[in-house]
Structures are given as structure tokens and as C-alpha cells.
PDB file of all heavy atoms in Angstrom:
ATOM      1  N   ASN A   1      95.871  84.247  50.628  1.00 93.00           N
ATOM      2  CA  ASN A   1      95.512  85.551  51.117  1.00 93.00           C
ATOM      3  C   ASN A   1      94.656  85.562  52.230  1.00 93.00           C
ATOM      4  O   ASN A   1      93.984  84.626  52.591  1.00 93.00           O
ATOM      5  CB  ASN A   1      94.806  86.301  49.900  1.00 93.00           C
ATOM      6  CG  ASN A   1      95.767  86.458  48.658  1.00 93.00           C
ATOM      7  OD1 ASN A   1      96.880  86.708  48.816  1.00 93.00           O
ATOM      8  ND2 ASN A   1      95.170  86.173  47.525  1.00 93.00           N
ATOM      9  N   GLY A   2      94.584  86.717  52.864  1.00 94.00           N
ATOM     10  CA  GLY A   2      93.738  86.892  54.076  1.00 94.00           C
ATOM     11  C   GLY A   2      92.339  86.370  53.963  1.00 94.00           C
ATOM     12  O   GLY A   2      91.744  85.669  54.749  1.00 94.00           O
ATOM     13  N   GLY A   3      91.663  86.687  52.802  1.00 90.00           N
ATOM     14  CA  GLY A   3      90.335  86.272  52.557  1.00 90.00           C
ATOM     15  C   GLY A   3      90.107  84.802  52.293  1.00 90.00           C
ATOM     16  O   GLY A   3      88.934  84.372  52.293  1.00 90.00           O
ATOM     17  N   ASP A   4      91.213  83.986  52.088  1.00 89.00           N
ATOM     18  CA  ASP A   4      91.199  82.552  51.799  1.00 89.00           C
ATOM     19  C   ASP A   4      91.318  81.803  53.066  1.00 89.00           C
ATOM     20  O   ASP A   4      90.987  80.487  53.149  1.00 89.00           O
ATOM     21  CB  ASP A   4      92.316  82.161  50.966  1.00 89.00           C
ATOM     22  CG  ASP A   4      92.320  82.883  49.547  1.00 89.00           C
ATOM     23  OD1 ASP A   4      91.177  83.215  49.043  1.00 89.00           O
ATOM     24  OD2 ASP A   4      93.391  83.266  48.974  1.00 89.00           O
ATOM     25  N   TRP A   5      91.665  82.456  54.265  1.00 93.00           N
ATOM     26  CA  TRP A   5      92.006  81.693  55.482  1.00 93.00           C
ATOM     27  C   TRP A   5      90.781  80.855  55.940  1.00 93.00           C
ATOM     28  O   TRP A   5      91.034  79.768  56.482  1.00 93.00           O
ATOM     29  CB  TRP A   5      92.588  82.585  56.499  1.00 93.00           C
ATOM     30  CG  TRP A   5      94.019  82.835  56.367  1.00 93.00           C
ATOM     31  CD1 TRP A   5      94.681  83.131  55.214  1.00 93.00           C
ATOM     32  CD2 TRP A   5      94.980  82.998  57.388  1.00 93.00           C
ATOM     33  NE1 TRP A   5      95.962  83.432  55.448  1.00 93.00           N
ATOM     34  CE2 TRP A   5      96.244  83.211  56.756  1.00 93.00           C
ATOM     35  CE3 TRP A   5      94.980  82.979  58.832  1.00 93.00           C
ATOM     36  CZ2 TRP A   5      97.419  83.362  57.549  1.00 93.00           C
ATOM     37  CZ3 TRP A   5      96.090  83.029  59.520  1.00 93.00           C
ATOM     38  CH2 TRP A   5      97.257  83.284  58.853  1.00 93.00           C
ATOM     39  N   ALA A   6      89.641  81.370  55.833  1.00 88.00           N
ATOM     40  CA  ALA A   6      88.517  80.612  56.481  1.00 88.00           C
ATOM     41  C   ALA A   6      88.359  79.294  55.836  1.00 88.00           C
ATOM     42  O   ALA A   6      88.064  78.195  56.489  1.00 88.00           O
ATOM     43  CB  ALA A   6      87.232  81.460  56.366  1.00 88.00           C
ATOM     44  N   ASP A   7      88.440  79.261  54.635  1.00 85.00           N
ATOM     45  CA  ASP A   7      88.233  77.968  53.804  1.00 85.00           C
ATOM     46  C   ASP A   7      89.406  76.930  54.210  1.00 85.00           C
ATOM     47  O   ASP A   7      89.123  75.823  54.310  1.00 85.00           O
ATOM     48  CB  ASP A   7      88.274  78.247  52.248  1.00 85.00           C
ATOM     49  CG  ASP A   7      87.075  78.860  51.784  1.00 85.00           C
ATOM     50  OD1 ASP A   7      86.036  78.862  52.556  1.00 85.00           O
ATOM     51  OD2 ASP A   7      86.956  79.348  50.646  1.00 85.00           O
ATOM     52  N   THR A   8      90.652  77.504  54.293  1.00 89.00           N
ATOM     53  CA  THR A   8      91.742  76.656  54.610  1.00 89.00           C
ATOM     54  C   THR A   8      91.682  76.152  56.044  1.00 89.00           C
ATOM     55  O   THR A   8      91.961  74.981  56.377  1.00 89.00           O
ATOM     56  CB  THR A   8      93.117  77.319  54.296  1.00 89.00           C
ATOM     57  OG1 THR A   8      93.040  78.036  53.123  1.00 89.00           O
ATOM     58  CG2 THR A   8      94.192  76.396  54.267  1.00 89.00           C
ATOM     59  N   TRP A   9      91.061  77.137  56.899  1.00 92.00           N
ATOM     60  CA  TRP A   9      90.996  76.650  58.318  1.00 92.00           C
ATOM     61  C   TRP A   9      90.042  75.506  58.408  1.00 92.00           C
ATOM     62  O   TRP A   9      90.100  74.542  59.150  1.00 92.00           O
ATOM     63  CB  TRP A   9      90.475  77.893  59.010  1.00 92.00           C
ATOM     64  CG  TRP A   9      90.819  78.064  60.526  1.00 92.00           C
ATOM     65  CD1 TRP A   9      90.138  77.520  61.599  1.00 92.00           C
ATOM     66  CD2 TRP A   9      92.096  78.677  61.028  1.00 92.00           C
ATOM     67  NE1 TRP A   9      90.951  77.989  62.684  1.00 92.00           N
ATOM     68  CE2 TRP A   9      92.012  78.608  62.380  1.00 92.00           C
ATOM     69  CE3 TRP A   9      93.113  79.353  60.435  1.00 92.00           C
ATOM     70  CZ2 TRP A   9      93.006  79.123  63.215  1.00 92.00           C
ATOM     71  CZ3 TRP A   9      94.178  79.866  61.198  1.00 92.00           C
ATOM     72  CH2 TRP A   9      94.021  79.706  62.565  1.00 92.00           C
ATOM     73  N   ARG A  10      88.824  75.552  57.794  1.00 85.00           N
ATOM     74  CA  ARG A  10      87.845  74.621  57.697  1.00 85.00           C
ATOM     75  C   ARG A  10      88.373  73.328  57.225  1.00 85.00           C
ATOM     76  O   ARG A  10      88.191  72.214  57.613  1.00 85.00           O
ATOM     77  CB  ARG A  10      86.621  74.834  56.936  1.00 85.00           C
ATOM     78  CG  ARG A  10      85.715  76.043  57.515  1.00 85.00           C
ATOM     79  CD  ARG A  10      84.428  76.099  56.804  1.00 85.00           C
ATOM     80  NE  ARG A  10      83.715  77.275  57.206  1.00 85.00           N
ATOM     81  CZ  ARG A  10      83.703  78.505  56.671  1.00 85.00           C
ATOM     82  NH1 ARG A  10      84.637  78.727  55.684  1.00 85.00           N
ATOM     83  NH2 ARG A  10      83.089  79.464  57.092  1.00 85.00           N
ATOM     84  N   ALA A  11      89.147  73.355  56.080  1.00 85.00           N
ATOM     85  CA  ALA A  11      89.766  72.244  55.554  1.00 85.00           C
ATOM     86  C   ALA A  11      90.727  71.380  56.472  1.00 85.00           C
ATOM     87  O   ALA A  11      90.772  70.252  56.376  1.00 85.00           O
ATOM     88  CB  ALA A  11      90.676  72.453  54.239  1.00 85.00           C
ATOM     89  N   LYS A  12      91.196  72.127  57.481  1.00 89.00           N
ATOM     90  CA  LYS A  12      92.019  71.486  58.503  1.00 89.00           C
ATOM     91  C   LYS A  12      91.162  70.872  59.527  1.00 89.00           C
ATOM     92  O   LYS A  12      91.644  70.079  60.432  1.00 89.00           O
ATOM     93  CB  LYS A  12      93.001  72.488  59.150  1.00 89.00           C
ATOM     94  CG  LYS A  12      94.141  71.888  59.932  1.00 89.00           C
ATOM     95  CD  LYS A  12      95.093  72.964  60.397  1.00 89.00           C
ATOM     96  CE  LYS A  12      96.189  72.378  61.348  1.00 89.00           C
ATOM     97  NZ  LYS A  12      97.136  71.348  60.631  1.00 89.00           N
ATOM     98  N   GLY A  13      89.943  71.244  59.485  1.00 86.00           N
ATOM     99  CA  GLY A  13      88.981  70.853  60.571  1.00 86.00           C
ATOM    100  C   GLY A  13      88.924  71.691  61.939  1.00 86.00           C
ATOM    101  O   GLY A  13      88.417  71.248  62.888  1.00 86.00           O
ATOM    102  N   TRP A  14      89.481  72.743  61.775  1.00 91.00           N
ATOM    103  CA  TRP A  14      89.589  73.795  62.937  1.00 91.00           C
ATOM    104  C   TRP A  14      88.242  74.687  62.921  1.00 91.00           C
ATOM    105  O   TRP A  14      87.583  74.847  61.949  1.00 91.00           O
ATOM    106  CB  TRP A  14      90.753  74.674  62.926  1.00 91.00           C
ATOM    107  CG  TRP A  14      91.995  73.914  63.376  1.00 91.00           C
ATOM    108  CD1 TRP A  14      92.133  72.653  63.473  1.00 91.00           C
ATOM    109  CD2 TRP A  14      93.220  74.576  63.595  1.00 91.00           C
ATOM    110  NE1 TRP A  14      93.542  72.315  63.871  1.00 91.00           N
ATOM    111  CE2 TRP A  14      94.291  73.558  63.884  1.00 91.00           C
ATOM    112  CE3 TRP A  14      93.731  75.842  63.614  1.00 91.00           C
ATOM    113  CZ2 TRP A  14      95.470  73.734  64.324  1.00 91.00           C
ATOM    114  CZ3 TRP A  14      95.076  76.097  64.018  1.00 91.00           C
ATOM    115  CH2 TRP A  14      95.964  75.056  64.320  1.00 91.00           C
ATOM    116  N   PRO A  15      87.898  75.194  64.137  1.00 90.00           N
ATOM    117  CA  PRO A  15      86.568  75.827  64.253  1.00 90.00           C
ATOM    118  C   PRO A  15      86.470  77.210  63.548  1.00 90.00           C
ATOM    119  O   PRO A  15      87.446  78.034  63.741  1.00 90.00           O
ATOM    120  CB  PRO A  15      86.367  76.007  65.777  1.00 90.00           C
ATOM    121  CG  PRO A  15      87.417  75.058  66.457  1.00 90.00           C
ATOM    122  CD  PRO A  15      88.602  74.940  65.508  1.00 90.00           C
ATOM    123  N   VAL A  16      85.386  77.360  62.874  1.00 88.00           N
ATOM    124  CA  VAL A  16      85.086  78.737  62.210  1.00 88.00           C
ATOM    125  C   VAL A  16      83.667  79.037  62.534  1.00 88.00           C
ATOM    126  O   VAL A  16      82.877  78.187  62.321  1.00 88.00           O
ATOM    127  CB  VAL A  16      85.373  78.572  60.700  1.00 88.00           C
ATOM    128  CG1 VAL A  16      84.901  79.945  60.113  1.00 88.00           C
ATOM    129  CG2 VAL A  16      86.689  78.102  60.265  1.00 88.00           C
ATOM    130  N   ASP A  17      83.538  80.146  63.102  1.00 87.00           N
ATOM    131  CA  ASP A  17      82.132  80.590  63.525  1.00 87.00           C
ATOM    132  C   ASP A  17      82.060  82.080  63.648  1.00 87.00           C
ATOM    133  O   ASP A  17      82.945  82.802  63.065  1.00 87.00           O
ATOM    134  CB  ASP A  17      81.598  79.886  64.728  1.00 87.00           C
ATOM    135  CG  ASP A  17      82.416  80.135  66.003  1.00 87.00           C
ATOM    136  OD1 ASP A  17      83.212  81.208  66.031  1.00 87.00           O
ATOM    137  OD2 ASP A  17      82.535  79.389  66.938  1.00 87.00           O
ATOM    138  N   ASN A  18      80.987  82.500  64.193  1.00 85.00           N
ATOM    139  CA  ASN A  18      80.738  84.073  64.344  1.00 85.00           C
ATOM    140  C   ASN A  18      80.885  84.409  65.764  1.00 85.00           C
ATOM    141  O   ASN A  18      80.361  85.473  66.142  1.00 85.00           O
ATOM    142  CB  ASN A  18      79.456  84.357  63.816  1.00 85.00           C
ATOM    143  CG  ASN A  18      79.269  84.039  62.341  1.00 85.00           C
ATOM    144  OD1 ASN A  18      78.567  83.166  61.903  1.00 85.00           O
ATOM    145  ND2 ASN A  18      80.129  84.670  61.460  1.00 85.00           N
ATOM    146  N   THR A  19      81.668  83.740  66.568  1.00 89.00           N
ATOM    147  CA  THR A  19      81.794  83.983  67.990  1.00 89.00           C
ATOM    148  C   THR A  19      83.188  84.592  68.235  1.00 89.00           C
ATOM    149  O   THR A  19      84.221  83.851  67.963  1.00 89.00           O
ATOM    150  CB  THR A  19      81.607  82.780  68.977  1.00 89.00           C
ATOM    151  OG1 THR A  19      80.266  82.182  68.616  1.00 89.00           O
ATOM    152  CG2 THR A  19      81.703  83.186  70.338  1.00 89.00           C
ATOM    153  N   PRO A  20      83.268  85.756  68.704  1.00 93.00           N
ATOM    154  CA  PRO A  20      84.639  86.379  68.923  1.00 93.00           C
ATOM    155  C   PRO A  20      85.298  85.820  70.083  1.00 93.00           C
ATOM    156  O   PRO A  20      84.665  85.455  71.099  1.00 93.00           O
ATOM    157  CB  PRO A  20      84.376  87.915  69.178  1.00 93.00           C
ATOM    158  CG  PRO A  20      82.964  87.976  69.754  1.00 93.00           C
ATOM    159  CD  PRO A  20      82.260  86.775  68.886  1.00 93.00           C
ATOM    160  N   GLU A  21      86.562  85.815  70.063  1.00 94.00           N
ATOM    161  CA  GLU A  21      87.406  85.158  71.113  1.00 94.00           C
ATOM    162  C   GLU A  21      88.794  85.737  71.057  1.00 94.00           C
ATOM    163  O   GLU A  21      89.371  85.970  69.942  1.00 94.00           O
ATOM    164  CB  GLU A  21      87.542  83.678  70.941  1.00 94.00           C
ATOM    165  CG  GLU A  21      88.483  83.099  71.874  1.00 94.00           C
ATOM    166  CD  GLU A  21      89.146  81.626  71.364  1.00 94.00           C
ATOM    167  OE1 GLU A  21      89.075  81.525  70.214  1.00 94.00           O
ATOM    168  OE2 GLU A  21      89.485  80.867  72.195  1.00 94.00           O
ATOM    169  N   VAL A  22      89.403  86.145  72.181  1.00 95.00           N
ATOM    170  CA  VAL A  22      90.721  86.702  72.253  1.00 95.00           C
ATOM    171  C   VAL A  22      91.744  85.611  71.690  1.00 95.00           C
ATOM    172  O   VAL A  22      91.636  84.494  71.960  1.00 95.00           O
ATOM    173  CB  VAL A  22      91.152  87.129  73.688  1.00 95.00           C
ATOM    174  CG1 VAL A  22      92.693  87.536  73.607  1.00 95.00           C
ATOM    175  CG2 VAL A  22      90.330  88.252  74.190  1.00 95.00           C
ATOM    176  N   GLY A  23      92.609  86.167  70.685  1.00 96.00           N
ATOM    177  CA  GLY A  23      93.548  85.196  70.078  1.00 96.00           C
ATOM    178  C   GLY A  23      93.039  84.671  68.772  1.00 96.00           C
ATOM    179  O   GLY A  23      93.834  84.031  68.069  1.00 96.00           O
ATOM    180  N   ALA A  24      91.735  84.607  68.511  1.00 96.00           N
ATOM    181  CA  ALA A  24      91.103  84.052  67.387  1.00 96.00           C
ATOM    182  C   ALA A  24      91.573  84.947  66.132  1.00 96.00           C
ATOM    183  O   ALA A  24      91.726  86.155  66.227  1.00 96.00           O
ATOM    184  CB  ALA A  24      89.677  83.894  67.381  1.00 96.00           C
ATOM    185  N   MET A  25      91.590  84.424  64.937  1.00 97.00           N
ATOM    186  CA  MET A  25      91.863  85.177  63.722  1.00 97.00           C
ATOM    187  C   MET A  25      90.573  85.749  63.369  1.00 97.00           C
ATOM    188  O   MET A  25      89.521  85.264  63.289  1.00 97.00           O
ATOM    189  CB  MET A  25      92.353  84.269  62.574  1.00 97.00           C
ATOM    190  CG  MET A  25      93.676  83.448  62.938  1.00 97.00           C
ATOM    191  SD  MET A  25      95.101  84.423  63.213  1.00 97.00           S
ATOM    192  CE  MET A  25      95.465  83.795  64.908  1.00 97.00           C
ATOM    193  N   ALA A  26      90.636  87.009  63.119  1.00 96.00           N
ATOM    194  CA  ALA A  26      89.459  87.917  62.526  1.00 96.00           C
ATOM    195  C   ALA A  26      89.531  87.935  60.959  1.00 96.00           C
ATOM    196  O   ALA A  26      90.435  88.562  60.382  1.00 96.00           O
ATOM    197  CB  ALA A  26      89.483  89.282  63.067  1.00 96.00           C
ATOM    198  N   HIS A  27      88.627  87.081  60.415  1.00 94.00           N
ATOM    199  CA  HIS A  27      88.813  86.942  58.988  1.00 94.00           C
ATOM    200  C   HIS A  27      87.794  87.798  58.250  1.00 94.00           C
ATOM    201  O   HIS A  27      86.653  87.882  58.590  1.00 94.00           O
ATOM    202  CB  HIS A  27      88.418  85.441  58.659  1.00 94.00           C
ATOM    203  CG  HIS A  27      88.157  85.085  57.286  1.00 94.00           C
ATOM    204  ND1 HIS A  27      86.889  84.859  56.781  1.00 94.00           N
ATOM    205  CD2 HIS A  27      88.977  85.083  56.185  1.00 94.00           C
ATOM    206  CE1 HIS A  27      86.925  84.622  55.536  1.00 94.00           C
ATOM    207  NE2 HIS A  27      88.171  84.799  55.010  1.00 94.00           N
ATOM    208  N   PHE A  28      88.231  88.387  57.173  1.00 91.00           N
ATOM    209  CA  PHE A  28      87.519  89.335  56.248  1.00 91.00           C
ATOM    210  C   PHE A  28      87.529  88.698  54.863  1.00 91.00           C
ATOM    211  O   PHE A  28      88.557  88.535  54.251  1.00 91.00           O
ATOM    212  CB  PHE A  28      87.902  90.734  56.284  1.00 91.00           C
ATOM    213  CG  PHE A  28      88.018  91.474  57.567  1.00 91.00           C
ATOM    214  CD1 PHE A  28      88.984  91.193  58.446  1.00 91.00           C
ATOM    215  CD2 PHE A  28      87.035  92.450  57.748  1.00 91.00           C
ATOM    216  CE1 PHE A  28      88.966  91.978  59.631  1.00 91.00           C
ATOM    217  CE2 PHE A  28      87.067  93.163  58.978  1.00 91.00           C
ATOM    218  CZ  PHE A  28      88.053  92.904  59.971  1.00 91.00           C
ATOM    219  N   TYR A  29      86.355  88.384  54.314  1.00 86.00           N
ATOM    220  CA  TYR A  29      86.381  88.072  52.781  1.00 86.00           C
ATOM    221  C   TYR A  29      86.765  89.177  51.998  1.00 86.00           C
ATOM    222  O   TYR A  29      86.663  90.371  52.425  1.00 86.00           O
ATOM    223  CB  TYR A  29      84.964  87.593  52.427  1.00 86.00           C
ATOM    224  CG  TYR A  29      84.625  86.143  52.847  1.00 86.00           C
ATOM    225  CD1 TYR A  29      83.559  86.058  53.732  1.00 86.00           C
ATOM    226  CD2 TYR A  29      85.335  85.116  52.376  1.00 86.00           C
ATOM    227  CE1 TYR A  29      83.136  84.663  54.119  1.00 86.00           C
ATOM    228  CE2 TYR A  29      84.925  83.784  52.833  1.00 86.00           C
ATOM    229  CZ  TYR A  29      83.885  83.627  53.710  1.00 86.00           C
ATOM    230  OH  TYR A  29      83.539  82.331  54.013  1.00 86.00           O
ATOM    231  N   ALA A  30      87.223  88.783  50.717  1.00 81.00           N
ATOM    232  CA  ALA A  30      87.465  89.979  49.798  1.00 81.00           C
ATOM    233  C   ALA A  30      86.389  90.854  49.624  1.00 81.00           C
ATOM    234  O   ALA A  30      85.257  90.336  49.279  1.00 81.00           O
ATOM    235  CB  ALA A  30      87.970  89.263  48.485  1.00 81.00           C
ATOM    236  N   GLY A  31      86.526  92.073  49.666  1.00 78.00           N
ATOM    237  CA  GLY A  31      85.301  92.953  49.420  1.00 78.00           C
ATOM    238  C   GLY A  31      84.544  93.420  50.747  1.00 78.00           C
ATOM    239  O   GLY A  31      83.686  94.268  50.661  1.00 78.00           O
ATOM    240  N   ALA A  32      84.805  92.728  51.746  1.00 80.00           N
ATOM    241  CA  ALA A  32      84.087  93.089  53.053  1.00 80.00           C
ATOM    242  C   ALA A  32      84.495  94.402  53.443  1.00 80.00           C
ATOM    243  O   ALA A  32      85.650  94.771  53.223  1.00 80.00           O
ATOM    244  CB  ALA A  32      84.352  91.937  54.099  1.00 80.00           C
ATOM    245  N   PRO A  33      83.716  95.153  54.271  1.00 81.00           N
ATOM    246  CA  PRO A  33      83.948  96.472  54.746  1.00 81.00           C
ATOM    247  C   PRO A  33      85.285  96.413  55.537  1.00 81.00           C
ATOM    248  O   PRO A  33      85.398  95.570  56.443  1.00 81.00           O
ATOM    249  CB  PRO A  33      82.710  96.874  55.557  1.00 81.00           C
ATOM    250  CG  PRO A  33      81.702  96.139  54.966  1.00 81.00           C
ATOM    251  CD  PRO A  33      82.286  94.700  54.456  1.00 81.00           C
ATOM    252  N   GLY A  34      86.182  97.262  55.244  1.00 83.00           N
ATOM    253  CA  GLY A  34      87.461  97.253  56.075  1.00 83.00           C
ATOM    254  C   GLY A  34      88.509  96.312  55.538  1.00 83.00           C
ATOM    255  O   GLY A  34      89.512  96.106  56.234  1.00 83.00           O
ATOM    256  N   ALA A  35      88.213  95.712  54.328  1.00 87.00           N
ATOM    257  CA  ALA A  35      89.228  94.767  53.838  1.00 87.00           C
ATOM    258  C   ALA A  35      89.467  95.092  52.282  1.00 87.00           C
ATOM    259  O   ALA A  35      88.594  95.842  51.697  1.00 87.00           O
ATOM    260  CB  ALA A  35      88.707  93.365  53.986  1.00 87.00           C
ATOM    261  N   SER A  36      90.580  94.493  51.831  1.00 87.00           N
ATOM    262  CA  SER A  36      90.835  94.701  50.400  1.00 87.00           C
ATOM    263  C   SER A  36      89.756  93.969  49.587  1.00 87.00           C
ATOM    264  O   SER A  36      89.436  92.836  49.807  1.00 87.00           O
ATOM    265  CB  SER A  36      92.213  93.985  50.017  1.00 87.00           C
ATOM    266  OG  SER A  36      92.433  93.823  48.718  1.00 87.00           O
ATOM    267  N   ALA A  37      89.402  94.569  48.455  1.00 80.00           N
ATOM    268  CA  ALA A  37      88.410  94.165  47.494  1.00 80.00           C
ATOM    269  C   ALA A  37      88.886  92.849  46.824  1.00 80.00           C
ATOM    270  O   ALA A  37      88.248  92.136  46.351  1.00 80.00           O
ATOM    271  CB  ALA A  37      87.854  95.167  46.583  1.00 80.00           C
ATOM    272  N   THR A  38      90.169  92.847  46.697  1.00 83.00           N
ATOM    273  CA  THR A  38      90.819  91.628  46.047  1.00 83.00           C
ATOM    274  C   THR A  38      91.384  90.578  46.948  1.00 83.00           C
ATOM    275  O   THR A  38      91.120  89.320  46.619  1.00 83.00           O
ATOM    276  CB  THR A  38      92.103  92.189  45.046  1.00 83.00           C
ATOM    277  OG1 THR A  38      91.588  93.269  44.278  1.00 83.00           O
ATOM    278  CG2 THR A  38      92.595  91.127  44.295  1.00 83.00           C
ATOM    279  N   TYR A  39      92.089  90.848  47.964  1.00 88.00           N
ATOM    280  CA  TYR A  39      92.592  89.924  48.813  1.00 88.00           C
ATOM    281  C   TYR A  39      92.000  89.650  50.131  1.00 88.00           C
ATOM    282  O   TYR A  39      92.404  88.684  50.865  1.00 88.00           O
ATOM    283  CB  TYR A  39      94.118  90.317  49.056  1.00 88.00           C
ATOM    284  CG  TYR A  39      94.988  90.756  47.808  1.00 88.00           C
ATOM    285  CD1 TYR A  39      95.255  92.046  47.539  1.00 88.00           C
ATOM    286  CD2 TYR A  39      95.271  89.691  46.923  1.00 88.00           C
ATOM    287  CE1 TYR A  39      96.016  92.400  46.337  1.00 88.00           C
ATOM    288  CE2 TYR A  39      95.995  89.997  45.852  1.00 88.00           C
ATOM    289  CZ  TYR A  39      96.320  91.336  45.510  1.00 88.00           C
ATOM    290  OH  TYR A  39      97.059  91.596  44.320  1.00 88.00           O
ATOM    291  N   GLY A  40      90.937  90.309  50.505  1.00 89.00           N
ATOM    292  CA  GLY A  40      90.530  90.212  51.797  1.00 89.00           C
ATOM    293  C   GLY A  40      91.379  90.594  52.908  1.00 89.00           C
ATOM    294  O   GLY A  40      92.324  91.510  52.679  1.00 89.00           O
TER     295      GLY A  40
END
């Protein structure tokens, strides 16, 4: 699910941080404002 992507991205060794970049995936955890409470 969308809320799971950050963990999987890290497992691949790809960069995850808090710096916005055009083309980067914008990840929302489950329950984050503007996201599904169940799926992110």
C-alpha cells in the first residue's frame, strides 16, 4: 500500500529523507493528514 512504500524503498537501499524533489515519491503514512487512515 502507499503507506508501506518508504519501508520497501529503504529495503532496496534507495534514498528516503525529508527533502522535496521533483519526480520523488511523496509518501504518507497511514493516518497522516491527507491520507487514508488504513492504507496511507
Side-chain angles (χ1 to χ4, degrees):
N1 298 315
D4 302 325
W5 275 41
D7 288 345
T8 316
W9 212 268
R10 291 191 186 92
K12 192 174 179 65
W14 283 14
V16 178
D17 59 25
N18 300 115
T19 303
E21 170 205 23
V22 173
M25 305 296 123
H27 166 252
F28 298 76
Y29 281 119
S36 165
T38 305
Y39 305 110

